[in-house]
Amino acid sequence: MPLVEVSNLVKHFLVRGGVFNRVLRQVHAVNGVSFAIEKGKILGVVGESGCGKSTLGKLIVRLLDMTAGKVQFRGQDISHLSASELMSVRRKMQMIFQDPHASLNPRMTVGAAVREVVAFHKIVPKREIRDEVDALFAKVGIHTDSQEKYPHEFSGGQKQRVGIARSLAVNPEFIIADEPVSALDVSIQAQVLNLLMDLKDEFDLTMLFISHDLKVIDHFCDSVLVMYLGFVLEELPCRDIQADALHPYTKALLGANPVADPTQRHELTVLAGEVPSPYDLPRGCPFAARCELVTNQCRQEMPPLVEKESGHRVACWEV
């Protein structure tokens, strides 16, 4: 049984206005997303900005309420649990946010921020809280003497390590990492990714790793979910994404990646056209207006997500 299972998840944001605050239109942020994550695995989610990646993560941990669909954790449907019922589940599902500075209280020392979590969830007896937090900071590479400093006194990488320590404080089983290295210098990104990998092995964590960088996904994850305009267009294992990718959009993302070896240059992939408006979704495949393989069927019918082989699903009429 998967640790996390998502079925036909939908999220529409209502846009209101006018004298009577009526609903004027809807933002179709997430559109029928389904997947499962086995215990101990890392599923990557990749796509352009605005494709619904972060919204998907927040829906899973119930930071946002879903419009439709179902989220199961350990076989339990958590889609409509009350705030009090969610408390025990929240201890097992944590989130690392994209902006480490915005996720920390500027008026609270970093040590106090983590001690507050440990105390609230009664992780250890009161007299052992400081020792527990010392151990957490040591695991993420922050000196214990730094606990009484405020967030503005840390670098971006250090603040992200504090955010990771806070997520680990409740002994979670599942972590959603929402672009945890995108706001960091390139020199720091590898350090944080290696730290996450070490902690994943040490604590036997299951993860949903959100990123816009397929190279990071390929290095870090077991499989990847490719999203476009709130839809899943492809899911495939991270064995050899470059060779295995079937969907034209996935191939376009790969073609836009810079190459590590300058002698292996290739022509840069530039997609024509614009991303359709999430206020007014097109009929048929959402990628049809930018796809070089487009047919009339693509413009009229949304292709189903079909399993081509074990663990590899594609939503395309032409592959």
Side-chain angles (χ1 to χ4, degrees), residues 3 8 40 43 57 66 117 145 202 214 219 241 244-245 256 267 305:
L3 183 70
N8 297 313
L43 174 66
M66 61 196 71
V117 175
D145 292 346
E202 181 178 349
L214 264 171
H219 165 73
I241 295 178
D244 295 342
E267 187 175 345
L305 200 60

Side-chain angles (χ1 to χ4, degrees), residues 6 77 151 162 211:
V6 173
D77 186 353
V162 173
S211 178

Side-chain angles (χ1 to χ4, degrees), residues 223-299:
S223 56
V224 58
L225 208 68
V226 181
M227 290 187 66
Y228 183 82
L229 204 64
F231 294 90
V232 174
L233 298 188
E234 187 166 12
E235 180 183 7
L236 69 158
C238 292
R239 295 183 299 251
D240 185 354
I241 295 178
Q242 192 79 42
D244 295 342
L246 294 175
H247 199 283
Y249 179 62
T250 309
K251 291 182 177 180
L253 288 179
L254 289 165
N257 266 338
V259 295
D261 184 354
T263 65
Q264 301 293 322
R265 292 186 180 276
H266 59 78
E267 187 175 345
L268 182 66
T269 300
V270 179
L271 290 173
E274 297 291 333
V275 179
S277 170
Y279 295 111
D280 185 20
L281 293 179
R283 186 176 180 180
C285 175
F287 188 61
R290 308 175 74 189
C291 182
E292 59 184 17
L293 303 180
V294 64
T295 65
N296 285 333
Q297 185 180 24
C298 301
R299 296 189 179 96

